[in-house]
Amino acid sequence: MYPKLTINLNKFKHNLNTLNSLLESFGITMMAVTKVFCADQPLIDVINDSSVKYIADSRIQNLKSMKTSKKRVLLRLPSINNLDEVVLNSEISLNSELVTIEALNETAKKYQKTHEIIIMIDIGDLREGIYYKETIIETIKKIKSLKYIDLVGIGTNLTCFGGIIPEKETLKKLIDIIKTIKTTLNVEFNIVSGGNSSHLHLINSGEKVPYINNLRIGEALVLGRETSYGKQINDLYKDIFTLEADLIEVKLKPSIPEGRIGMNAFGETPIFSDLGLMKRGIIALGRQDVDFHEIIPVDESIRLIGSSSDHIIVDLTHASLDYQVGDRLLFNVTYGSLLSLMTSKYVTKTYL
Ligand SMILES: *Cc1c(COP(=O)(O)O)cnc(C)c1O
């Protein structure tokens, strides 16, 4: 059935192993992040067959459903209302709230398990983490006193909300905190998790930031690029995922709707410019599956002009081929479209 997302497992394997060896050469372990592909099991199996140490996801449902023997890391801060699931379905979680960590301790005690945590520090991107200017010593002391919590690491997240690029100067804020904790409490961390795919621009230019020995990598695995500047990394594939959708109508029509213009199906008032008569196509794919701005036609001579819940309208006027009903259009994906296409149950997934 179409629309269809084709997933090349060999290319994914190549990206995974290449990145993992690259990071290893810098003394950095990798957490393979699976949220963008909803922890799809065939891709998880590729990770299972690799020497990657950790598997990480932001959704507890994904960690629960995946079959893996790797250490499972919960990336999104756990909700204090849902800690049984966290303790039962992850070995490590990222945390920033002492109340949650204390409650995690109680939950871990209930199951007679030790739960490992990585404490998150916000060094300016303003998403999760204890703000770096706050005193963290008391918090660390309290965490260390919890019997069922093992403080295995410290980490930070950049280029997520604030778009802050990881640079030595910025990361020094994290390193200073690590040093302070070491000198005041004599506490050291096994894992210093320096960020996500945006950190790879430093690796790409051969820069090793001291202390950082772990990265949580999602986008670079699936799209082959770092995310500070969007540059391609080495010989990584960027076309692991390709999308195909059917043309269900091809007709010559005007470029401006006729009659008085009100709202479209989404409460927006559309604006059109008069381009004369057009060859217009409709593909069987819509907003319920993907934002049409986020899919890239492989045939550069076609243009996407709009969408509704179940349809995307295509301008075929200047197309290099004479497209007909039943033809399939091929697209490349971005992070945003991959996220929603993998989530849509209406998109068939096939594997190469
Ligand atoms: C999603 C996520 C990552 C991975 O980010 P990419 O840019 O896809 O590499 C890393 N850390 C956290 C906390 C995340 O939520």
Side-chain angles (χ1 to χ4, degrees):
M1 272 287 278
Y2 289 80
K4 182 189 275 183
L5 192 67
T6 302
I7 306 169
N8 190 316
L9 295 174
N10 277 329
K11 288 183 176 179
F12 179 69
K13 183 179 178 177
H14 170 87
N15 281 10
L16 183 77
N17 291 332
T18 308
L19 264 178
N20 193 40
S21 323
L22 178 68
L23 291 183
E24 268 175 5
S25 74
F26 281 78
I28 292 173
T29 59
M30 178 162 87
M31 291 178 178
V33 176
T34 57
K35 66 190 182 200
V36 72
F37 52 82
C38 305
D40 192 43
Q41 191 61 40
L43 290 157
I44 298 282
D45 287 337
V46 174
I47 300 171
N48 286 341
D49 284 341
S50 75
S51 63
V52 169
K53 211 167 157 195
Y54 307 92
I55 204 157
D57 205 289
S58 49
R59 312 268 168 168
I60 202 76
Q61 293 97 323
N62 288 349
L63 294 175
K64 190 173 181 171
S65 66
M66 66 173 66
K67 293 177 198 71
T68 185
S69 53
K70 305 281 180 190
K71 261 195 166 174
R72 293 166 302 172
V73 183
L74 177 63
L75 292 173
R76 189 165 64 185
L77 307 178
S79 159
I80 198 164
N81 299 319
N82 202 23
L83 297 180
D84 290 81
E85 293 290 321
V86 175
V87 167
L88 293 174
N89 299 298
S90 69
E91 282 70 53
I92 309 180
S93 61
L94 273 44
N95 283 273
S96 69
E97 291 286 1
L98 187 59
V99 279
T100 307
I101 298 167
E102 285 169 343
L104 259 177
N105 183 57
E106 289 306 313
T107 311
K109 180 179 175 185
K110 186 165 95 188
Y111 295 103
Q112 284 299 302
K113 284 185 166 205
T114 303
H115 185 73
E116 299 175 19
I117 68 163
I118 294 176
I119 190 84
M120 293 299 281
I121 310 294
D122 184 342
I123 56 174
D125 198 59
L126 303 186
R127 206 178 75 173
E128 74 272 53
I130 300 171
Y131 190 53
Y132 73 101
K133 285 184 183 167
E134 274 175 34
T135 114
I136 189 183
I137 295 298
E138 281 313 305
T139 308
I140 299 290
K141 241 195 227 167
K142 286 192 181 129
I143 296 171
K144 289 302 277 184
S145 74
L146 302 172
K147 227 177 125 196
Y148 296 88
I149 294 294
D150 190 3
L151 179 62
V152 293
I154 190 164
T156 195
N157 200 39
L158 291 167
T159 340
C160 252
F161 180 73
I164 298 302
I165 288 174
E167 290 175 326
K168 278 198 167 157
E169 201 46 41
T170 304
L171 288 161
K172 194 171 167 293
K173 294 173 188 164
L174 177 68
I175 292 164
D176 287 346
I177 289 171
I178 295 171
K179 286 179 180 163
T180 309
I181 294 171
K182 161 86 179 142
T183 47
T184 20
L185 300 176
N186 200 26
V187 167
E188 286 190 72
F189 299 98
N190 285 333
I191 301 173
V192 179
S193 192
N196 53 42
S197 296
S198 69
H199 192 100
L200 294 171
H201 87 93
L202 290 171
I203 301 289
N204 234 3
S205 52
E207 259 189 89
K208 164 96 177 90
V209 180
Y211 289 86
I212 287 172
N213 65 10
N214 173 268
L215 292 174
R216 311 174 303 273
I217 303 294
E219 180 160 349
L221 287 179
V222 291
L223 294 174
R225 57 181 211 147
E226 54 82 20
T227 54
S228 279
Y229 304 100
K231 286 215 189 87
Q232 199 67 20
I233 302 167
N234 287 354
D235 60 343
L236 299 191
Y237 292 108
K238 52 182 178 181
D239 59 349
I240 294 174
F241 299 84
T242 47
L243 172 70
E244 283 170 285
D246 287 332
L247 273 167
I248 52 173
E249 182 182 294
V250 178
K251 288 187 192 304
L252 281 179
K253 290 187 188 179
S255 42
I256 301 193
E258 293 166 40
R260 198 154 72 91
I261 292 183
M263 289 186 299
N264 69 11
F266 292 88
E268 307 146 350
T269 304
I271 299 164
F272 299 93
S273 43
D274 192 355
L275 302 168
L277 213 54
M278 294 166 86
K279 181 177 177 185
R280 298 166 72 99
I282 298 178
I283 55 173
L285 182 75
R287 280 206 200 188
Q288 195 153 23
D289 315 293
V290 74
D291 174 355
F292 79 92
H293 297 100
E294 297 287 322
I295 56 174
I296 306 149
V298 170
D299 180 347
E300 290 174 3
S301 67
I302 67 180
R303 197 171 60 92
L304 307 182
I305 42 186
S307 70
S308 62
S309 309
D310 326 297
H311 306 83
I312 295 175
I313 317 291
V314 200
D315 179 1
L316 301 169
T317 316
H318 306 289
S320 51
L321 297 172
D322 182 23
Y323 287 105
Q324 301 295 334
V325 166
D327 286 345
R328 285 192 181 114
L329 300 187
L330 188 64
F331 302 91
N332 287 315
V333 298
T334 63
Y335 190 81
S337 53
L338 184 57
L339 193 63
S340 62
L341 290 164
M342 285 302 299
T343 309
S344 173
K345 66 174 181 182
Y346 305 104
V347 177
T348 306
K349 283 90 188 170
T350 54
Y351 305 89
L352 285 183

